[in-house]
Amino acid sequence: MELVRATEAAAIRAAPWIGRGDKNAADGAAVDAMRKFLHTVEFQGRVVIGEGEKDEAPMLFNGEVVGNGEGPECDIAVDPIDGTSLTAAGRQNALSVIAVADRGSMYDPKDLFYMDKIVTGPEGIGVIDLAKPIGENIRALAKAKGKAVEDMVIAVLDRPRHEKLIAEIREAGAGTRLMLDGDVAGGINAARSATRIDMCTGIGGTPEGIITACAIKALGGVMQGRMYPRNDEEREKAIAAGHDLDRVLTQDDLVRTDNTYFVATGVTDGGLCAGVRREGKRIVTDSVVLRSHSGTVRRVQAEHLEAKWL
């Protein structure tokens, strides 16, 4: 519940920038609010996966220490706004998210900013394989779920790099749910039974991948990822740092503990959480809290007196 206060604050501070066309201003407001509230949480947190390095936006930087200095030692992965472009454009599915795990348990990708990944619900355990063609994975998952292939819906970020992947999904007979941004929500929705998305796949941010892995461990789903260097220079640095770029990593490789927390608050409306809204003199937020140790999913709807946020 202490972590929820940080994502709520980030979402509330970002809300005035929804649809204003300035993603860095929205991100900066969310970062400042999240940092302030994280310092009130009773833990010794260290940011392992920081935010903003890819697009030179403001960040909670890697190695930053947060919390009040008491309580357990933890690794932190943050994304004050997963979907800065969505927020700036006033589109759906922007979230403020935090993932927390035991100290030393989160995979450190160092200079690798992108990851090729595949995420499904529990039906995909022992069924999907990132090393296999997407059509084969879709057919195997459809069989495991007892669905026709043509009823399968696959979430993919709408990027030029995914043109071939999208064509292969459609050639296999499945439908696509193209996401403009925000693949954390896409991965989580793929693992939940209450959504129409059966699988989320494609190349997305490594920070978002670590965050998603924390959530997937709580949902009982399956995630696989493989580091994706953007160029020869990044490839050489990764190999020199000891990364095996051919290795397929599971959620247990990305987060090596069964004690994880994932917290998200909606910035804009979406399939996972409703966005921030004003009702009279109150601000209403919608959040979700996942814990892997207990396997619980909690919804938190909160009303905040607007005068306290002026």
Side-chain angles (χ1 to χ4, degrees):
M1 294 302 297
E2 290 181 275
L3 293 170
V4 172
R5 294 174 65 238
T7 56
E8 287 174 344
I12 289 170
R13 288 304 189 195
W17 296 99
I18 294 172
R20 299 297 182 91
D22 190 341
K23 69 176 186 177
N24 283 354
D27 204 26
V31 168
D32 289 344
M34 180 174 282
R35 176 181 283 117
K36 177 181 177 181
F37 277 82
L38 278 176
H39 282 303
T40 70
V41 178
E42 188 172 337
F43 68 171
Q44 302 175 59
R46 182 187 63 192
V47 177
V48 175
I49 306 294
E51 182 273 346
E53 294 174 334
K54 285 186 300 185
D55 55 5
E56 299 179 357
M59 66 179 74
L60 275 154
F61 58 86
N62 291 350
E64 182 169 353
V65 176
V66 296
N68 67 2
E70 301 178 5
E73 295 183 348
C74 300
D75 284 349
I76 313 293
V78 299
D79 202 343
I81 304 180
D82 178 40
T84 53
S85 296
L86 299 177
T87 303
R91 296 191 175 105
Q92 293 188 334
N93 291 314
L95 298 168
S96 177
V97 298
I98 297 172
V100 177
D102 295 331
R103 176 66 58 83
S105 63
M106 286 188 181
Y107 185 87
D108 186 357
K110 295 186 174 64
D111 294 324
L112 287 167
F113 298 133
Y114 287 94
M115 175 192 296
D116 190 9
K117 45 199 167 187
I118 185 169
V119 185
T120 76
E123 298 89 352
I125 296 174
V127 173
I128 63 165
D129 185 346
L130 185 61
K132 293 182 179 179
I134 188 61
E136 188 173 336
N137 277 309
I138 291 171
R139 288 187 289 273
L141 183 61
K143 181 178 179 180
K145 298 186 76 168
K147 295 180 67 172
V149 171
E150 55 265 30
D151 292 332
M152 297 286 285
V153 178
I154 315 300
V156 185
L157 282 172
D158 191 4
R159 299 287 189 274
R161 63 177 178 264
H162 288 150
E163 288 181 2
K164 184 174 182 291
L165 174 62
I166 292 168
E168 290 175 347
I169 291 169
R170 292 170 177 170
E171 286 171 4
T176 55
R177 178 73 57 85
L178 300 184
M179 304 178 294
L180 294 173
D181 209 340
D183 61 339
V184 170
I188 293 172
N189 284 329
R192 297 170 63 223
S193 60
T195 73
R196 294 192 61 194
I197 296 175
D198 298 288
M199 177 190 297
C200 183
T201 191
I203 298 163
T206 301
E208 291 84 351
I210 305 298
I211 291 169
T212 301
C214 288
I216 295 306
K217 290 172 79 74
L219 292 169
V222 59
M223 177 178 178
Q224 296 179 1
R226 182 167 48 204
M227 295 301 137
Y228 183 85
R230 295 173 293 179
N231 49 50
D232 290 340
E233 181 182 357
E234 196 167 288
R235 177 180 293 275
E236 290 173 4
K237 285 183 178 179
I239 293 173
H243 291 285
D244 182 353
L245 300 181
D246 294 322
R247 182 185 176 192
V248 174
L249 304 166
T250 68
Q251 67 264 30
D252 292 326
D253 296 313
L254 296 172
V255 187
R256 299 182 305 275
T257 178
D258 287 327
N259 186 32
T260 68
Y261 295 83
F262 170 89
V263 180
T265 299
V267 178
T268 61
D269 288 338
L272 186 61
C273 297
V276 177
R277 67 185 187 277
R278 280 180 167 77
E279 294 184 356
K281 295 184 178 181
R282 294 192 172 271
I283 301 171
V284 180
T285 57
D286 183 34
S287 306
V288 62
V289 181
L290 312 177
R291 187 185 181 197
S292 65
H293 183 71
S294 58
T296 52
V297 178
R298 291 183 171 89
R299 307 294 312 205
V300 180
Q301 292 184 326
E303 295 182 6
H304 313 260
L305 189 62
E306 185 178 31
K308 298 290 186 180
W309 290 90
L310 296 177

